[in-house]
Amino acid sequence: MSRYKVVHWQESPDFYKDTDVPGEFRRLSDLLGTEQLSISFIKVPAHSDFQQSTGHSHEEIEELYIIAKGTLSMRFDDDIVKVPAGSAVRVSPTTVRSHRNEGDEDVEMWAISKKIGRRDAKKVDNFWEPSESAKQTK
């Protein structure tokens, strides 16, 4: 294996393509050949709430979100915060989290975590009220 690899996020398949989920979700870990890290690019269009009131937590994965463009509304357990571009957010494994874009500008963000080789996400239904400003419905 090479000591480094350079890729562009658009080289990775979009897991939201041909689904009713707005935006883009691209996992770069396989493309990069990472051994310890999981990294994904997520694009959340303006006025979209793709999770429609759901959230999720993890058993052991701590996540780091880096907001590169726009402002994201994020909920962590009972707290709701606006997170602007240039911010980084660390979320502990058992914290229930969700996000939506209630603004007029698309949000671009990166999600980074430890690679464990299995899924450990737990979906939480009815985590928060659907966004009144979201234009799409599921």
Side-chain angles (χ1 to χ4, degrees):
M1 172 180 280
S2 175
R3 295 183 316 141
Y4 68 92
K5 187 166 187 182
V6 178
V7 301
H8 191 276
W9 61 267
Q10 289 179 324
E11 295 174 48
S12 180
D14 177 8
F15 286 88
Y16 291 167
K17 186 179 179 182
D18 300 324
T19 73
D20 63 349
V21 179
E24 297 177 45
F25 185 91
R26 298 174 185 265
R27 291 188 176 107
L28 282 83
S29 304
D30 289 343
L31 192 60
L32 285 165
T34 61
E35 297 174 3
Q36 300 176 22
L37 297 173
S38 175
I39 182 166
S40 300
F41 172 81
I42 304 166
K43 185 179 213 175
V44 187
H47 301 285
S48 65
D49 182 1
F50 80 93
Q51 292 185 335
Q52 294 290 299
S53 80
T54 67
H56 78 280
S57 64
H58 292 278
E59 293 175 22
E60 69 177 89
I61 293 177
E62 173 183 61
E63 289 184 302
L64 177 67
Y65 297 101
I66 299 171
I67 311 303
K69 177 183 173 188
T71 298
L72 199 61
S73 296
M74 301 184 85
R75 181 169 177 186
F76 310 104
D77 290 331
D78 293 328
D79 297 331
I80 299 173
V81 296
K82 299 277 189 191
V83 184
S87 299
V89 180
R90 182 201 63 85
V91 186
S92 66
T94 59
T95 300
V96 181
R97 82 281 321 253
S98 186
H99 65 266
R100 59 174 60 136
N101 183 354
E102 298 174 308
D104 295 327
E105 177 183 23
D106 290 353
V107 169
E108 294 181 356
M109 70 181 209
W110 295 90
I112 303 166
S113 64
K114 175 176 138 181
K115 191 175 190 178
I116 62 171
R118 63 177 171 79
R119 296 180 63 91
D120 82 334
K122 177 183 174 185
K123 182 179 176 186
V124 177
D125 290 319
N126 303 313
F127 178 55
W128 59 347
E129 293 297 318
S131 173
E132 293 179 14
S133 67
K135 294 180 181 176
Q136 96 292 341
T137 58
K138 225 175 189 187

